[in-house]
Amino acid sequence: MKLLFIVNPGSGSDNTDFTTVITDFFKALEHQFEIYELTKNCSTEQIKTAIDQAKATRVIAVGGDGTLKLVCELLKGTKTPIGIIPAGSANGMAKELGVPLDINEALDLAINGETKEIHAVVVNGELCIHLSDIGFNAYIVKKFDDLPQRGMWGYTKALWKALWSHHKMEVEFQIGKETIRSEAAMVVIANATMYGTGVKINPDGQLDDDVFEVILVKKYSLMEIIKIRFTDLPFNPEKIESFQTKGLRIKTKHKAHFQVDGEYIGKVNTITAELLPAAITVVFKPVLS
């Protein structure tokens, strides 16, 4: 097997030397590997050229969800499996696919893990492989980006700031023939099931089915968050509703904060989303029944 590692050296909060760790891991193995380290000024064309020239069996994203999204954008529509070495602040998609946070265990899975095709969602022209939303969580992402701290401490500070300063919004969208109008804290376009924090916002989600979910969070509720974090109990429909669709257009009365896969995009008052079937192939760890 030949592997190409796309390494983002700026990911996460520690100073791991990924090149050394990867090189040491493969010393006793017969697999071939190459490492392409991202720089501040490298273009997507340069990265795509490196991928094409490597002719790798699998391409492994070493970084956070942003690094993974970049690799997925370059490999969408191909059958080349994409693996993950999680090194970001949240690592939401890695957790979704059962990828261990321990780097050596993740390297082993990159070689030996199973593969499957999954869909993605195109949201306002952006490829979404994990979760996109408008409203409260997107505002947290903005606040998190503005803070010097990374990891859960930084996220907690951003959450606290958002709880004190974010306001609800008025949203309208259509599912089938039904038009939904509601006051909302946030609306999630959910390709995956849970945030990197472990909150399972979309318990019905599957990465390889033919729909994505729309989660309408009507009210802030600490108890509802605790419930979905630690139990399998259903949502309280007075506070959270879930819908399934292949396409969507959301309108808000006023512009709302918007994020895709942990990247803050800005403020918008219109969201369009469309399913992209069999978009990418990923390496994952099967759940034993």
Side-chain angles (χ1 to χ4, degrees):
M1 187 178 289
K2 183 177 182 181
L3 297 102
L4 173 64
F5 292 89
I6 306 294
V7 177
N8 182 356
S11 292
S13 56
D14 60 15
N15 297 309
T16 302
D17 183 344
F18 296 110
T19 297
T20 299
V21 174
I22 293 168
T23 302
D24 287 346
F25 182 86
F26 281 94
K27 278 181 179 177
L29 301 175
E30 295 182 358
H31 302 287
Q32 294 178 282
F33 71 95
E34 291 182 24
I35 296 174
Y36 184 90
E37 191 168 291
L38 301 177
T39 62
K40 285 186 178 180
N41 298 320
C42 69
S43 65
T44 53
E45 290 78 12
Q46 289 172 311
I47 305 166
K48 183 68 166 64
T49 298
I51 291 173
D52 291 341
Q53 290 178 346
K55 293 181 171 54
T57 313
R58 295 181 175 186
V59 177
I60 314 301
V62 184
D65 287 327
T67 307
L68 176 62
K69 180 184 174 186
L70 172 63
V71 173
C72 290
E73 286 171 343
L74 295 172
L75 285 171
K76 70 174 183 251
T78 74
K79 303 294 184 182
T80 303
I82 302 167
I84 310 170
I85 306 300
S89 299
N91 305 304
M93 200 61 179
K95 293 171 184 174
E96 190 80 27
L97 296 171
V99 179
L101 297 181
D102 177 84
I103 188 168
N104 286 305
E105 292 179 13
L107 283 165
D108 182 72
L109 184 68
I111 300 167
N112 298 308
E114 296 187 21
T115 65
K116 66 177 175 180
E117 282 188 339
I118 65 170
H119 58 62
V121 185
V122 179
V123 186
N124 279 19
E126 294 274 344
L127 183 71
C128 174
I129 56 173
H130 189 230
L131 296 164
S132 175
D133 50 57
I134 56 171
F136 182 64
N137 184 68
Y139 188 53
I140 294 173
V141 171
K142 180 182 186 301
K143 289 297 182 184
F144 182 72
D145 287 346
D146 294 339
L147 292 172
Q149 298 97 337
R150 299 287 89 186
M152 288 307 298
W153 174 241
Y155 180 84
T156 301
K157 289 189 71 173
L159 172 62
W160 184 251
K161 286 176 180 287
L163 280 170
W164 281 100
S165 55
H166 185 260
H167 302 288
K168 289 184 182 179
M169 56 191 173
E170 294 179 37
V171 300
E172 177 183 314
F173 57 92
Q174 191 166 339
I175 300 292
K177 296 182 179 180
E178 182 183 6
T179 299
I180 292 91
R181 297 181 181 90
S182 177
E183 199 176 55
M186 61 188 279
V187 181
V188 186
I189 296 166
N191 197 44
T193 64
M194 62 181 171
Y195 286 106
T197 56
V199 172
K200 188 169 277 193
I201 193 68
N202 180 28
D204 297 325
Q206 296 182 46
L207 290 167
D208 54 359
D209 59 6
D210 60 354
V211 292
F212 62 89
E213 284 72 36
V214 183
I215 313 300
L216 173 64
V217 181
K218 301 175 187 177
K219 300 178 182 179
Y220 301 115
S221 172
L222 181 59
M223 289 308 297
E224 198 71 10
I225 290 172
I226 291 172
K227 183 178 78 175
I228 63 179
R229 173 67 176 86
F230 296 106
T231 77
D232 293 322
L233 295 173
F235 293 143
N236 178 344
E238 293 184 0
K239 297 175 181 177
I240 301 175
E241 281 192 273
S242 176
F243 308 88
Q244 290 185 322
T245 186
K246 294 184 179 183
L248 178 72
R249 181 180 176 88
I250 304 172
K251 294 188 293 184
T252 63
K253 186 174 182 180
H254 303 289
K255 285 191 173 183
H257 296 281
F258 169 50
Q259 70 86 22
V260 178
D261 289 344
E263 179 184 355
Y264 181 73
I265 306 297
K267 296 183 79 173
V268 299
N269 53 16
T270 303
I271 295 283
T272 58
E274 184 178 354
L275 188 78
L276 193 61
I280 56 174
T281 302
V282 294
V283 180
F284 74 106
K285 182 178 181 179
V287 177
L288 298 176
S289 57

